[in-house]
């Protein structure tokens, strides 16, 4: 389920995936979220790529999301960024056989080669 997030002074927005630290949001609320997430992830597609990069990316910085990931299925890459002093700083771009530990999930080892088959659309959909 894509989380709907509604903040004061902003329209509701829906990242593909988002996460909150337990020390900020202890329980999952019902309905729309009222607290900006700590992490958001967007899956770039031809129909949403420009909007995600040109509209959502600066909006996410403005509302203070600390970590932003972009998954590009066509390029088979993961772009990881961190918000520092109001600006996005690229942590790295990773692909295929990379094994990574990146913010905000440094404690988890991610094997990107195992991720792509889970995200690729199945034929006929």
């Amino acid at each position: 389920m894509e989380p709907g997030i509604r903040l004061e002074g902003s329209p509701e927005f829906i990242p593909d995936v988002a996460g909150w630290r337990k020390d900020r949001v202890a329980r999952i609320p019902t309905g729309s979220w009222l607290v900006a997430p700590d992490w958001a992830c967007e899956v770039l597609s031809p129909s949403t790529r420009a909007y995600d990069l040109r509209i959502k990316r600066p909006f996410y910085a403005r509302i203070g999301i600390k970590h932003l990931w972009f998954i590009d299925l066509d390029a088979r890459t993961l772009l990881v960024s961190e918000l520092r002093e109001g600006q996005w700083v690229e942590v790295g771009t990773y692909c295929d056989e990379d094994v990574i530990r990146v913010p905000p999930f440094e404690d988890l080892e991610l094997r990107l080669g195992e991720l792509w088959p889970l995200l690729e659309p199945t034929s006929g959909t």
Side-chain angles (χ1 to χ4, degrees), residues 5-24:
I5 301 165
R6 187 180 313 270
L7 302 175
E8 187 174 328
S10 297
E12 183 174 60
F13 63 99
I14 302 173
D16 290 328
V17 184
W20 291 257
R21 295 183 55 86
K22 281 185 179 182
D23 59 357
R24 289 187 59 231

Side-chain angles (χ1 to χ4, degrees), residues 20-37:
W20 291 257
R21 295 183 55 86
K22 281 185 179 182
D23 59 357
R24 289 187 59 231
V25 178
R27 294 178 21 179
I28 298 174
T30 58
S32 295
W33 290 77
L34 302 174
V35 177

Side-chain angles (χ1 to χ4, degrees), residues 65-83:
I65 292 177
K66 302 288 186 223
H67 305 280
L68 179 58
W69 291 12
F70 284 111
I71 295 173
D72 187 329
L73 293 176
D74 292 334
R76 294 173 64 106
T77 58
L78 168 65
L79 170 64
V80 176
S81 300
E82 267 187 346
L83 189 63

